[in-house]
Amino acid sequence: MAKPASLVRLRHVFSELNIRWQPRQKHALCSDCLRLFSSQALRHEKLPWNVQVAGAKRQFDSSSPGLQQKSCMATVQHSNPDMWGPLNEYNKRVQLHQLRDDEHQRTIVQMLQDLHEMLRDYHPPKVVHPSIESLMPAPRSFLRSILLPKPRKKRTQLSENLPKGLYMFGDVGSGKTMLMDMFYDTLPHNISTKTRVHFHSFMQDVHRRLHAMKMEHGTDMDAVQYVAADIAESGSVLCFDEFQCTDVADAMILRGLLEALMSHGVVLVTTSNRHPDDLYKNGIQRASFIPCINLLKTRLRVLNLDSTTDYRKIPRPPSGVYHHPLDRAAVSHAEKWFRFLGDFDNNPPHKATLQVWGRDIEVPQASGDAAMFTFDELIGRATGAADYLELTRTYQAFIITNVPGMTHKSRDLARRFITFIDAVYESRAKIVLTTEVPLFQLFMSADEVDDALEAARKSGSVKPEEDHENVDDVMRQMMDDLGMSMNTLKNSSLFSGDEERFAFSRALSRLSEMGSQEWVERGLGMEHRGGLNERQGWQRVRSRWREDSM
């Protein structure tokens, strides 16, 4: 912290920033910022300094490699009573002609605003440090260590109230740093501590801490959990600049570290040059890094900052087509995809009615070639394969909201939903979902997963090398990470009979394929795929399919 002798210089800082000095108000800046102010602007100068700034402080040890530069990080306590959000800041900069109003960028900012509003109601739990003893392996006799397998680690439990963070990726010049600044500087007042750091410097400090812990307590302890608790204490929102993984040592600990941070209630927001799937490509032991990629894709909202437009010049939504959980952002996710896949200008949203064998099928919202339903409106009714086939003949895109996790108590719903997925897949239509749980938990609750695993372990049927014939790499890695085989999933009490089990595994595979970029963009006339000509060609293919399905 700045000493009294530094107050003269502190007043000079305020003068340079055109901020009125308030003698009776408590002002505090980290000593590093004061020392480095003469060479460059403060890293956190955009905080609302006209209100109380209580104790900005350095989080990481100054002896850590790479942390001597002030651009690394400061952990800041602040308040923002105006509840000024990223969208307000963006509109202000557009009005001042500091930014050009770009529809794609505005969509990104709206997603930052969604998270900002969720954080207003978020109260992080108190960080509970694990004891050193709890992080040590249980003592085992020599005989037991040889005869019995190593006990599995307990799965880290994440709070259901934890807001879903953001992973923003894009090329150089896509505005990553500006958007991160906008979000970080406008965090709501109840987020009393926040942390921002360059990812490379963060990992250097983490490794230094891990080394110190293991030198003191031995190499067998799970030091990652202890270090994560230390970091979580310093900020409930952690912002990374330039997330990347190029080192095998980082790859081996990242998943456990990030998951431990989230378990303590830390909300992660990061920028990167790469999509999560492209992280650590061709790296040593990359298979061990796949669980981290799945964690990023499951627990963070992945946003593409590189704008792509269709033949109508409408930007594609930056997030993927699947969103969970059913939070505030889920509503805007569905609305943005409905606007993009529909035709709001020429065919505004309206109710529609289709007929199948003399029965009416009510479509709550339709626009152009897109239809939007809640799960209850589509699957909760007494609908079947004929209804779904008629819908796919009429519409090319479906937005289904509020999809619940399905257990053995909702077997009929699961069967109907799988039938609908098959109809959408066979017609090559698009599907957008907002779900209560991640895709791979749609048909099995966490308790059912645990029960199935326990039964499979006792019978000896869990074999990591076992082939998962109907699931792509991402879904297979998710199951391997949980210690499950495809047979374990197929043997869930939710399904009975080989045909149903096959349908279940096929549904997972098809949902994964329909979430790919190639599937989503096919036939939409995206400019980088051929524009209007590509769309017209796809319409001819769809027309022939409709004729064949009559």
Side-chain angles (χ1 to χ4, degrees):
M1 297 302 299
K3 297 179 179 179
S6 302
L7 288 179
V8 174
R9 194 169 184 190
L10 182 58
R11 294 186 68 169
H12 172 68
V13 171
F14 273 55
S15 174
E16 290 291 326
L17 294 174
N18 294 320
I19 297 171
R20 183 165 59 91
W21 175 261
Q22 299 177 356
R24 295 185 180 181
Q25 183 174 319
K26 184 177 180 180
H27 299 281
L29 285 176
C30 65
S31 300
D32 289 330
C33 282
L34 287 173
R35 185 174 67 253
L36 292 163
F37 177 74
S38 59
S39 62
Q40 58 179 319
L42 292 171
R43 181 62 170 172
H44 43 267
E45 81 250 30
K46 295 178 183 177
L47 283 170
W49 291 101
N50 56 324
V51 298
Q52 180 173 346
V53 180
K57 63 180 180 180
R58 257 309 251 257
Q59 159 62 23
F60 287 98
D61 190 278
S62 60
S63 64
S64 300
L67 291 184
Q68 298 293 342
Q69 298 180 8
K70 192 206 66 48
S71 61
C72 293
M73 170 174 169
T75 295
V76 181
Q77 293 182 353
H78 77 296
S79 65
N80 180 19
D82 295 334
M83 308 303 280
W84 186 262
L87 192 57
N88 304 99
E89 182 65 24
Y90 183 79
N91 289 334
K92 175 186 173 183
R93 295 186 190 185
V94 168
Q95 291 172 1
L96 294 175
H97 304 290
Q98 296 173 349
L99 292 175
R100 179 174 57 87
D101 196 354
D102 178 82
E103 186 175 350
H104 179 72
Q105 199 169 68
R106 180 174 287 278
T107 300
I108 300 286
V109 175
Q110 180 60 60
M111 294 180 179
L112 295 175
Q113 182 70 28
D114 289 341
L115 179 55
H116 174 94
E117 292 176 2
M118 283 187 280
L119 288 172
R120 287 181 184 177
D121 303 322
Y122 179 57
H123 298 284
K126 184 178 179 181
V127 176
V128 179
H129 260 83
S131 66
I132 298 297
E133 293 75 18
S134 69
L135 300 176
M136 294 293 188
R140 306 179 76 200
S141 67
F142 176 73
L143 209 55
R144 289 176 65 87
S145 63
I146 294 177
L147 298 177
L148 297 178
K150 190 176 180 179
R152 293 174 55 87
K153 289 184 178 180
K154 290 184 179 179
R155 200 183 315 161
T156 303
Q157 297 296 323
L158 303 186
S159 170
E160 294 181 0
N161 298 325
L162 179 68
K164 195 169 187 177
L166 298 173
Y167 182 104
M168 299 181 287
F169 75 97
D171 290 335
V172 175
S174 58
K176 298 189 294 290
T177 301
M178 182 270 290
L179 290 167
M180 179 71 90
D181 285 342
M182 199 176 291
F183 173 78
Y184 183 80
D185 296 341
T186 58
L187 281 167
H189 72 283
N190 56 297
I191 303 301
S192 57
T193 57
K194 58 181 183 177
T195 302
R196 181 169 180 181
V197 61
H198 192 281
F199 187 72
H200 178 67
S201 300
F202 172 80
M203 289 307 299
Q204 282 185 314
D205 188 80
V206 167
H207 284 298
R208 179 192 62 79
R209 293 177 184 228
L210 292 175
H211 177 72
M213 290 290 294
K214 292 188 176 184
M215 288 296 290
E216 183 178 354
H217 301 287
T219 58
D220 289 336
M221 80 168 294
D222 187 2
V224 170
Q225 299 295 323
Y226 197 90
V227 170
D230 273 347
I231 297 172
E233 278 189 328
S234 67
S236 53
V237 174
L238 177 55
C239 297
F240 291 131
D241 285 311
E242 303 297 338
F243 188 102
Q244 58 181 321
C245 183
T246 57
D247 186 270
V248 64
D250 292 350
M252 294 304 101
I253 67 168
L254 256 177
R255 188 273 174 88
L257 177 64
L258 297 182
E259 196 168 51
L261 287 170
M262 293 180 193
S263 72
H264 289 296
V266 176
V267 178
L268 301 179
V269 178
T270 182
T271 65
S272 179
N273 293 327
R274 299 171 179 266
H275 187 279
D277 286 336
D278 296 327
L279 291 171
Y280 198 52
K281 256 195 171 175
N282 303 318
I284 300 172
Q285 299 182 41
R286 188 175 189 266
S288 300
F289 186 68
I290 296 297
C292 181
I293 292 176
N294 292 331
L295 179 71
L296 292 172
K297 293 165 62 176
T298 303
R299 294 294 177 177
L300 303 183
R301 195 176 187 187
V302 180
L303 305 180
N304 186 354
L305 303 188
D306 298 326
S307 178
T308 57
T309 58
D310 65 5
Y311 71 100
R312 304 167 297 173
K313 308 298 182 185
I314 297 178
R316 181 199 142 158
S319 59
V321 289
Y322 304 139
H323 176 92
H324 88 278
L326 299 177
D327 53 16
R328 193 189 307 257
V331 177
S332 62
H333 173 86
E335 290 175 348
K336 285 179 174 59
W337 275 105
F338 187 36
R339 178 176 291 275
F340 177 68
L341 295 171
D343 187 3
F344 279 32
D345 291 337
N346 300 313
N347 188 225
H350 60 278
K351 291 184 178 181
T353 303
L354 305 180
Q355 281 204 334
V356 177
W357 296 346
R359 293 184 296 105
D360 289 342
I361 306 175
E362 301 293 337
V363 182
Q365 292 193 72
S367 172
D369 293 326
M372 185 158 77
F373 298 83
T374 66
F375 181 85
D376 285 341
E377 288 168 341
L378 180 64
I379 308 299
R381 300 174 181 173
T383 50
D387 304 295
Y388 306 145
L389 185 60
E390 184 61 31
L391 285 169
T392 56
R393 287 196 190 106
T394 307
Y395 301 106
Q396 299 184 33
F398 298 89
I399 297 88
I400 314 299
T401 62
N402 300 330
V403 179
M406 285 160 272
T407 67
H408 65 280
K409 296 179 181 178
S410 48
R411 183 177 299 182
D412 289 341
L413 292 178
R415 288 168 175 163
R416 284 204 290 269
F417 189 52
I418 287 174
T419 303
F420 173 70
I421 291 169
D422 288 341
V424 173
Y425 181 87
E426 295 296 341
S427 70
R428 299 298 187 265
K430 322 294 180 193
I431 187 168
V432 177
L433 302 176
T434 64
T435 62
E436 181 183 14
V437 296
L439 286 188
F440 63 94
Q441 291 180 7
L442 271 182
F443 305 113
M444 290 184 76
S445 67
D447 290 339
E448 284 183 317
V449 169
D450 291 338
D451 292 343
L453 278 173
E454 188 60 31
R457 288 194 201 102
K458 290 179 179 178
S459 65
S461 63
V462 172
K463 299 176 182 178
E465 69 274 15
E466 189 171 358
D467 180 42
H468 309 301
E469 65 277 8
N470 296 306
V471 180
D472 69 1
D473 289 341
V474 173
M475 198 67 71
R476 180 168 60 249
Q477 288 292 346
M478 287 178 177
M479 292 187 296
D480 285 343
D481 189 36
L482 290 171
M484 292 184 288
S485 68
M486 177 49 87
N487 283 340
T488 305
L489 287 176
K490 286 179 181 178
N491 290 330
S492 165
S493 61
L494 184 59
F495 301 98
S496 59
D498 290 339
E499 187 175 344
E500 279 196 2
R501 290 167 186 160
F502 176 77
F504 163 64
S505 58
R506 184 180 60 197
L508 286 179
S509 178
R510 288 182 166 183
L511 279 173
S512 183
E513 184 180 351
M514 289 191 285
S516 67
Q517 180 178 357
E518 181 181 358
W519 185 286
V520 172
E521 293 185 349
R522 183 173 54 198
L524 292 180
M526 305 301 290
E527 291 189 328
H528 64 282
R529 292 179 177 269
L532 184 58
N533 289 336
E534 188 265 350
R535 176 176 171 80
Q536 290 173 341
W538 178 248
Q539 293 288 8
R540 288 192 289 272
V541 173
R542 283 274 304 177
S543 178
R544 286 195 293 271
W545 173 82
R546 279 196 294 266
E547 291 173 1
D548 293 341
S549 65
M550 291 296 186

